[in-house]
Amino acid sequence: LREIRRRAARSPGHGAVRLGIGDDCALLRTREDEEIAVTTDLSIAGRHFRLDWHPPESVGHRTLARGLSDLAAMGARPLAAFLSLGLPHELTTKRDGKHSWVDRFLSGFLSLAAAHKTPLAGGDLAESPIAVADIVLVGAVPRGRALLRSGAQPGDLVYVTGSLGGAAAGLAILSVNAARIDFSADAREGEFAEALAPHLFPQPRIAQGEWLRRRGLATAALDVSDGLSTDLNHLCEESGVAATVEQDFLPRSSGVSIEQALHGGEDYELLFTARQNARVPRRIRGVPITRIGYIRRRRPEEPPITLKSGSVLAPLEPHGWEHFS
Ligand SMILES: [Mg+2]
């Protein structure tokens, strides 16, 4: 705990944390006319990550990325992170003078935290038979201005940041090659590093979410955590609309299948809608923006999401993200 506190004290922030680790509560300072955005995510070994597949730096990074991505989806700026870990004893002990698993977990966690100026302001640590990491992210957004899932209207266009399916494609490579990958080193280097990066080190779109919120361009937004087919369905449900996805428009990296782009989870890109006449740029803060479809009126006799390929229309069923179950 002392080690975590020492390392957390060095994590930079925007000055929102008035009092961090050490007292009974952390104290966060917000600006007037702001609302607080709070999100929580539980990561469990064997379910959301595998100790034999994921380097500890990646588990730390992904734990925080999940929470940051939810803040990004609302257009919130991160104020602070709170991390609770339940770990088997062997993951907290150093072996042969090398860093322990939890040391490396924190390295991955804190380097992403620094990149998004999100201080680690509290948490808990307990011994547990299986490894679990619970993250709470607190953010702030101007009152009444958060990006919601519920504002899409018929005629709006559907956009996505970055590219889709890269995390699923990376996971497929990881599942086949895990035995050949050297996990004693940070997996940001090595033979499979580039293909694995979208899965091991996904980048939450904080800057893009804040940009969209400030410009007031998005009528609805959420992050792609479960896969496009599932998350677009969430957006349509909350907005009371239907949508059509144009298969040929889907942004995919090489080696990513249509199936992975449609249903692969954990890309942590932003999915948003905007009015037809809105000036949506090709890039936001360096990240490409692609129009992938449009919003339709919801009719009981039609499927809520359709996939258009050339002139062929077919229902697009949501396929939930199964993780490792
Ligand atoms: Mg989300």
Side-chain angles (χ1 to χ4, degrees), residues 164-183:
L164 296 170
L171 176 59
I173 293 169
L174 187 62
S175 67
V176 175
N177 296 288
R180 297 170 50 201
I181 299 172
D182 177 14
F183 289 127

Side-chain angles (χ1 to χ4, degrees), residues 1-323:
L1 272 174
R2 206 178 319 118
E3 173 77 1
I4 294 175
R5 183 177 177 181
R6 188 182 62 77
R7 296 182 65 181
R10 293 194 311 234
S11 58
H14 292 287
V17 178
R18 201 162 80 70
L19 195 60
I21 300 174
D23 215 308
D24 294 297
C25 290
L27 293 176
L28 303 183
R29 192 186 288 131
T30 56
R31 297 172 191 158
E32 259 182 76
D33 298 326
E34 275 187 337
E35 290 173 321
I36 300 295
V38 182
T39 176
T40 169
D41 275 298
L42 186 60
S43 297
I44 303 173
R47 176 93 193 148
H48 304 91
F49 63 89
R50 285 179 53 152
L51 291 169
D52 55 341
W53 285 9
H54 294 93
E57 290 85 358
S58 165
V59 182
H61 177 109
R62 282 159 45 93
T63 296
L64 180 60
R66 286 178 72 190
L68 283 175
S69 182
D70 282 328
L71 291 185
M74 306 287 283
R77 73 186 167 95
L79 296 180
F82 299 84
L83 173 69
S84 292
L85 291 172
L87 296 175
H89 180 68
E90 65 267 23
L91 298 186
T92 61
T93 44
K94 295 183 200 295
R95 281 217 193 101
D96 318 324
K98 286 194 185 134
H99 291 300
S100 67
W101 188 92
V102 68
D103 285 338
R104 294 178 55 192
F105 171 98
L106 273 179
S107 295
F109 184 100
L110 291 173
S111 81
L112 182 65
H116 293 283
K117 296 194 168 54
T118 307
L120 177 59
D124 203 0
L125 185 62
E127 201 171 321
S128 158
I130 51 163
V132 294
D134 185 42
I135 182 80
V136 175
L137 257 293
V138 179
V141 65
R143 195 170 297 167
R145 304 308 291 268
L147 304 175
L148 306 180
R149 297 178 174 190
S150 53
Q153 287 184 14
D156 285 0
L157 301 177
V158 180
Y159 298 86
V160 70
T161 61
S163 66
L164 296 170
L171 176 59
I173 293 169
L174 187 62
S175 67
V176 175
N177 296 288
R180 297 170 50 201
I181 299 172
D182 177 14
F183 289 127
S184 64
D186 190 323
R188 281 173 234 250
E189 288 165 26
E191 189 188 348
F192 298 102
E194 204 182 315
L196 293 180
H199 175 73
L200 295 182
F201 300 102
Q203 297 301 317
R205 302 306 190 188
I206 289 286
Q208 290 70 28
E210 284 198 78
W211 191 96
L212 284 170
R213 194 255 306 144
R214 261 200 304 276
R215 296 295 176 101
L217 274 183
T219 51
L222 82 174
D223 64 317
V224 183
S225 52
D226 296 332
L228 176 67
S229 62
T230 301
D231 289 313
L232 182 55
N233 200 53
H234 293 322
L235 186 147
C236 285
E237 293 253 324
E238 292 302 317
S239 293
V241 295
T244 295
V245 171
E246 312 235 23
Q247 182 173 301
D248 297 340
F249 294 0
L250 293 174
R252 308 181 272 144
S253 304
S254 66
V256 175
S257 71
I258 294 278
E259 286 295 301
Q260 287 166 335
L262 287 172
H263 307 296
E266 304 193 312
D267 282 320
Y268 300 117
E269 296 295 353
L270 297 183
L271 179 67
F272 65 95
T273 57
R275 300 272 180 261
Q276 247 173 67
N277 59 4
R279 287 170 178 256
V280 176
R282 285 167 185 275
R283 284 177 174 270
I284 298 176
R285 296 289 168 84
V287 172
I289 307 297
T290 310
R291 176 165 63 82
I292 60 163
Y294 53 90
I295 297 293
R296 299 178 282 114
R297 202 170 299 284
R298 202 178 183 100
R299 294 194 173 89
E301 68 277 17
E302 289 174 10
I305 316 277
T306 53
L307 181 66
K308 191 173 167 190
S309 172
S311 57
V312 181
L313 271 176
L316 178 61
E317 303 291 344
H319 289 298
W321 183 226
E322 298 286 311
H323 295 288

